[in-house]
Amino acid sequence: MQTHLRGRDMITTQEWTKDELDTVLDVALDLKRRRALGEPHALLRDKVLAMLFFFSSTRTRASFEAAMAQLGGHAQFIESKSTQISHGDTATEIGEILGRYNDGLSIRQVDWGVGNRYIRDVAAASRVPVHNMQCEQFHPFQVLADLLTIIERKGDPRGLTMNVSWAYAQSYQKPLSVPQSLILLMTRYGMNVRLTHPPEFKLLPEMLDQAQANARDAGGSFEVLDDFDAGFRDADIVYPKSWGCMLTTPDPDESAKIGQNYSDWIADERRMALARDDAMYLHCLPADRGIEVTDAVLDGPQSAVFDEAENRLHAQKAVLALTM
Ligand code: CP
């Protein structure tokens, strides 16, 4: 267990050692148990977290705010458009100033080519830890919750086969952050990770290289497939979700049009039957019901999406308590 995490930023899981990530999982399970028992755990009494959102959220906002309240502190919700950011407040000013009012800064900024840079610029100017609540490249808290759910349900993740797959959606061109963060984290835990997508829906090549290196170091494997059904075959965990084809075109309308060629990439009962009998279905949500996944799968016995969403709370409380 690592005990020197105070002040650390959480921008990607890749920047934390395996031992440090194990500490997060351990603390998350402890805090989950303490909440279930009704044991007070006001570890951040009198501390304040600023949550700056440039994009909508259900789970992230609600779980971070609940996390701070349960830890005895307070979270202030700041919507970027209600601030003076569009009138000139730079990342440096946000880091310097909000860092002086608060004990932690958490940011969601998913604009392509902007978000990660912005969060890092704020972090460089901030005297308090900065947390990435999702950028265009990474969603660390989502995948920590995903890993916690896998460990709770399946035990030791080493050797499990996980299919991180593209699926069709119509709602919007979703960021690459979840699939990229999944292939980076799950390969570090010795899993056999498949990334399945149509040719136009590539992830950043450096993420694939890092995932390959992680798999080599951890004794797992990493492969890329382009056949939706093949990705499900004999998998222990399936995570079919949509993302945009930002590396093929920067135009969201064109991306949506390309996606229509793959509108049959829906997670349904036939595909689930290709996976192992005890395979688990995960999705970060929100999902396009009836388009990305059928109701029978999303609400079915193999779906762990509500435990997964709950684990956002516990994983985040662990990181907040350890870093703030
Ligand atoms: N999974 C997730 O990040 O959900 P929200 O976009 O609702 O926060």
Side-chain angles (χ1 to χ4, degrees):
M1 170 169 272
Q2 294 298 319
T3 53
H4 63 281
L5 297 169
R6 198 82 51 216
R8 282 285 295 280
D9 298 328
M10 171 55 87
I11 298 178
T12 69
T13 57
Q14 192 68 35
E15 290 159 273
W16 285 45
T17 66
K18 169 85 167 31
D19 202 21
E20 290 166 347
L21 295 174
D22 287 344
T23 301
V24 170
L25 297 170
D26 190 45
V27 172
L29 286 170
D30 182 47
L31 294 176
K32 185 172 184 175
R33 184 183 57 79
R34 288 164 74 172
R35 177 165 161 75
L37 292 172
E39 279 181 18
H41 45 279
L43 303 169
L44 295 180
R45 198 184 297 281
D46 300 330
K47 297 212 171 172
V48 183
L49 176 74
M51 307 184 303
L52 174 60
F53 280 87
F54 289 80
F55 191 71
S56 53
S57 167
T58 302
R59 281 145 290 270
T60 304
R61 178 195 171 175
S63 55
F64 266 89
E65 203 162 320
M68 281 306 294
Q70 290 166 22
L71 290 167
H74 173 73
Q76 49 168 323
F77 171 65
I78 306 172
E79 204 175 9
S80 66
K81 58 177 186 271
S82 69
T83 70
Q84 299 283 28
I85 290 173
S86 66
H87 299 155
D89 277 337
T90 64
T92 300
E93 281 144 9
I94 294 297
E96 275 282 0
I97 296 165
L98 296 190
R100 294 178 189 216
Y101 301 155
N102 294 279
D103 303 284
L105 302 181
S106 300
I107 303 172
R108 169 171 280 194
Q109 172 31 301
V110 298
D111 292 346
W112 183 245
V114 174
N116 191 262
R117 182 71 268 150
Y118 182 81
I119 293 171
R120 290 189 187 282
D121 288 347
V122 172
S126 168
R127 61 178 63 179
V128 297
V130 169
H131 311 113
N132 179 359
M133 296 194 294
Q134 190 180 16
C135 66
E136 81 282 26
Q137 297 188 44
F138 305 103
H139 199 350
F141 292 99
Q142 179 63 54
V143 298
L144 285 168
D146 297 338
L147 180 57
L148 196 59
T149 310
I150 291 168
I151 291 170
E152 282 181 330
R153 293 229 177 178
K154 300 269 181 201
D156 186 345
R158 283 176 298 179
L160 293 174
T161 297
M162 179 167 186
N163 179 36
V164 177
S165 178
W166 187 85
Y168 180 58
Q170 290 177 340
S171 52
Y172 72 108
Q173 297 307 294
K174 303 179 185 190
L176 308 186
S177 46
V178 171
Q180 293 195 156
S181 297
L182 283 171
I183 64 168
L184 292 178
L185 184 62
M186 302 314 169
T187 48
R188 290 184 79 193
Y189 278 78
M191 296 174 68
N192 299 315
V193 177
R194 293 176 186 155
L195 172 67
T196 311
H197 62 77
E200 297 91 340
F201 290 84
K202 290 186 172 54
L203 303 184
L204 287 165
E206 57 268 33
M207 304 297 165
L208 307 193
D209 293 345
Q210 187 63 65
Q212 199 66 258
N214 290 349
R216 207 169 37 241
D217 292 348
S221 64
F222 176 68
E223 62 179 335
V224 182
L225 308 179
D226 62 5
D227 179 327
F228 192 50
D229 283 10
F232 280 80
R233 207 153 282 135
D234 297 323
D236 296 291
I237 302 137
V238 295
Y239 203 130
K241 79 164 301 291
S242 195
W243 62 84
C245 56
M246 287 77 168
L247 301 185
T248 299
T249 173
D251 178 358
D253 294 335
E254 202 184 331
S255 177
K257 216 165 144 198
I258 294 169
Q260 285 167 11
N261 296 328
Y262 306 100
S263 59
D264 58 338
W265 285 49
I266 175 170
D268 57 15
E269 286 171 295
R270 183 183 72 73
R271 266 76 179 230
M272 287 302 296
L274 297 173
R276 287 175 63 95
D277 290 346
D278 62 349
M280 177 168 61
Y281 170 88
L282 294 176
H283 193 297
C284 54
L285 303 178
D288 285 23
R289 278 182 179 263
I291 296 169
E292 196 174 357
V293 54
T294 62
D295 288 345
V297 171
L298 194 57
D299 301 326
Q302 288 169 280
S303 174
V305 296
F306 296 129
D307 285 350
E308 181 186 8
E310 179 187 336
N311 279 336
R312 291 289 306 273
L313 174 72
H314 308 300
Q316 287 157 198
K317 282 169 73 174
V319 174
L320 296 173
L322 287 162
T323 62
M324 283 177 60

